[in-house]
Amino acid sequence: MRLRVLLPLLVLGLLAVCAIVVPVAEGIAVSRTQQLALQRATAMDQIVQRAAAAVRDDDADDLARYLDRMHATYGEAVLVVDAGGDVLAAAGDIGRGAEVERLMLTASRAVPQWSLPTVVPWSPDVALVAEPVLADASVPVAAVVLAVDLTSARADVVRSWLLVGLAGLLVLATLLVASLQWTRWVLRPVRALDAAATALAEHRDPDLRAESGPPELRRLTDSFRRMASSVEDALEQQRGFVADASHQLRNPLAAVRLRLDASSRDAPDPEMLSAVDGDLDRLERTVDRMLDLADAEHRATAEASGRRSGFAESSPRAHVTSAAALAEPWMRQVAEAGQRLVVEGDEEVAVACRRSDLEEMVEIAIDNARKYAGEGSTVALRLARDADRVVLTIADDGPGLAADDLARAGTRFWRASAHGSLPGTGLGLAILRELARANDATVVVGAADAGGLAVSLLLRAAS
């Protein structure tokens, strides 16, 4: 993948460097050619003036001396012919080939020939130019042919082009290094994701520490980390649920089997049948509570992932309630248990929670207090709004739990040693936690001010 990202960057960088280097190199060649043309144009003017004087005075000695000095200085050959094509003066060797004859003919018609080609590294050594010699600014009386030496200008262009090329290569090398660093930085989260996916496939703990990289990919890494954590939690929850369920169901099933094995097939003992019936009831209650827990966990997981289904999709997410409304259905049951249920707070609050879930959570907390707070205890239900949260607390003044037991409260199938003889499955607070999580709420289990157990629900307030 790194090559796929790097290759377009390098191609674009190469095109950009070429788009800069090529015009610069062309500009250098054109500039050097113009400089050469200006130099030779000045020399050509001197030759034309002396050639005009030579034709006018019929004396070419001064012209010949000037051409010799010029040839010695620049090493360039010069040929001056009159209107009839006869040589007036010459320096160097210019063969009168077809090209020279053409230039002389064109110049004799008062048309200058200064088509000096742009000097490039592959230019020829010599370029021919021609200039007419005019007697009275209109009548050509002679023509001058100059063989311009391009070797020096060509060497300058080659050196300049080499410098430009080296600069372009330096820019490309810098771009390559920068691109390597850039792609390494961009793809670091991708490599972390790949390693994490491989680790998950091999049942190893993934390492998703991506300290750098684009914000979008870092967010993707965080999302993958959360997803992997959710998957691991779900699998661990599933394994724990299966293990706990197997353990909890084994006891009543084993008791039923032992009682049946010990009974007489011809005349079953009524007490044994009653005990078997009690074991079956306990088994049925455990299975029902396990199904309730599984449903609550499923809904909580769907809520956390943003995927809702079933009644959770159509059920209203907010409603208005009060402490009295929540406590009223349980007044009689609490009173029958020899306890007192009191309501604290009479304000109505809008809660962002499904009504059925809130009522079930209240039922679990009150039923927990009714079973374990003891006869003669008082159960208090408080409901109040605190900023953007709604706090629902169900507390009792019973014996409560020790500090070590408080830390384990809510663990599936766990029950305090003091409650082992009381009926129950140990799933109540676990179901309550999952129902709260399905409604984006938090459960806090702690010691009540009156000494018993306090279960607090931190709910979102509806707008």
Side-chain angles (χ1 to χ4, degrees), residues 333-342 369-380 395-399 450 452:
Q333 289 90 331
V334 173
E336 290 175 353
Q339 299 170 336
R340 189 165 62 97
L341 178 59
V342 298
R370 185 174 59 85
K371 287 191 295 185
Y372 304 125
E375 187 175 354
S377 61
T378 299
V379 181
D396 62 72
D397 56 359

Side-chain angles (χ1 to χ4, degrees), residues 131-146:
E131 184 79 18
V133 179
L134 306 178
D136 55 1
S138 60
V139 179
V141 295
V144 179
V145 178
L146 174 62

Side-chain angles (χ1 to χ4, degrees), residues 445-456:
V445 179
D449 295 337
L453 190 70
V455 177
S456 296

Side-chain angles (χ1 to χ4, degrees), residues 192 195-197 199-200 203-209 224-225 228-229 232:
L200 284 176
H203 304 288
R204 294 183 287 107
D205 291 334
D207 184 8
L208 283 171
R209 293 174 296 176
F224 187 88
R225 183 188 298 113
S229 177
E232 287 294 324

Side-chain angles (χ1 to χ4, degrees), residues 67-349:
L67 296 182
D68 290 338
R69 289 196 303 272
M70 182 177 175
H71 180 67
T73 302
Y74 296 108
E76 297 176 344
V78 186
L79 176 63
V80 181
V81 298
D82 58 15
D86 297 329
V87 178
L88 290 179
D93 182 20
I94 294 183
R96 298 188 63 169
E99 180 64 17
V100 174
E101 293 294 336
R102 185 186 68 78
L103 290 174
M104 290 190 301
L105 178 61
T106 305
S108 65
R109 295 175 181 173
V111 179
Q113 295 294 302
W114 272 93
S115 59
L116 196 63
T118 301
V119 180
V120 292
W122 51 87
S123 295
D125 294 337
V126 176
L128 298 175
V129 295
E131 184 79 18
V133 179
L134 306 178
D136 55 1
S138 60
V139 179
V141 295
V144 179
V145 178
L146 174 62
V148 180
D149 184 10
L150 303 180
T151 55
S152 178
R154 187 176 60 191
D156 292 342
V157 171
V158 169
R159 285 193 295 271
S160 299
W161 279 25
L162 286 176
L163 291 176
V164 171
L166 288 176
L169 290 177
L170 181 61
V171 171
L172 277 178
T174 304
L175 179 63
L176 176 60
V177 173
S179 298
L180 287 173
Q181 296 297 326
W182 169 263
T183 54
R184 183 179 295 113
W185 177 74
V186 169
L187 296 178
R188 185 173 287 119
V190 177
R191 290 195 296 270
L193 285 175
D194 181 60
T198 302
L200 284 176
E202 296 174 354
H203 304 288
R204 294 183 287 107
D205 291 334
D207 184 8
L208 283 171
R209 293 174 296 176
E211 294 83 2
S212 63
E216 296 82 3
L217 290 181
R218 289 205 301 269
R219 287 196 296 271
L220 176 62
T221 303
D222 292 338
S223 299
F224 187 88
R225 183 188 298 113
R226 291 193 298 271
M227 181 203 72
S229 177
S230 298
V231 170
E232 287 294 324
D233 291 344
L235 291 176
E236 184 63 28
Q237 194 176 54
Q238 184 182 38
R239 287 191 291 267
F241 185 83
V242 171
D244 292 341
S246 300
H247 175 74
Q248 292 297 321
L249 294 179
R250 184 183 297 115
N251 291 335
L253 287 176
V256 171
R257 177 176 292 276
L258 287 174
R259 295 182 192 279
L260 291 177
D261 290 343
S263 67
S264 172
R265 297 183 181 273
D266 298 331
D269 185 2
E271 293 183 359
M272 181 274 299
L273 293 177
S274 178
V276 168
D277 187 60
D279 291 334
L280 291 177
D281 288 340
R282 183 159 61 98
L283 180 62
E284 184 178 7
R285 285 196 302 271
T286 301
V287 171
D288 289 340
R289 298 301 275 172
M290 287 171 55
L291 291 176
D292 292 338
L293 177 61
D295 179 67
E297 289 179 345
H298 170 70
R299 286 159 51 193
T301 302
E303 181 73 22
S305 64
R307 173 183 51 83
R308 306 185 187 97
S309 59
F311 84 93
E313 181 68 25
S314 58
S315 178
R317 300 300 303 276
H319 68 283
V320 177
T321 188
S322 65
L326 292 174
E328 194 277 331
W330 317 111
M331 288 289 188
R332 185 173 60 83
Q333 289 90 331
V334 173
E336 290 175 353
Q339 299 170 336
R340 189 165 62 97
L341 178 59
V342 298
V343 175
E344 299 179 3
D346 56 357
E347 64 174 324
E348 290 189 342
V349 295

Side-chain angles (χ1 to χ4, degrees), residues 32-45 70 74 114 146:
R32 188 64 182 88
T33 303
Q34 291 175 348
Q35 181 184 5
L36 179 63
L38 288 174
Q39 293 172 351
R40 295 306 179 266
T42 301
M44 182 67 83
D45 289 341
M70 182 177 175
Y74 296 108
W114 272 93
L146 174 62

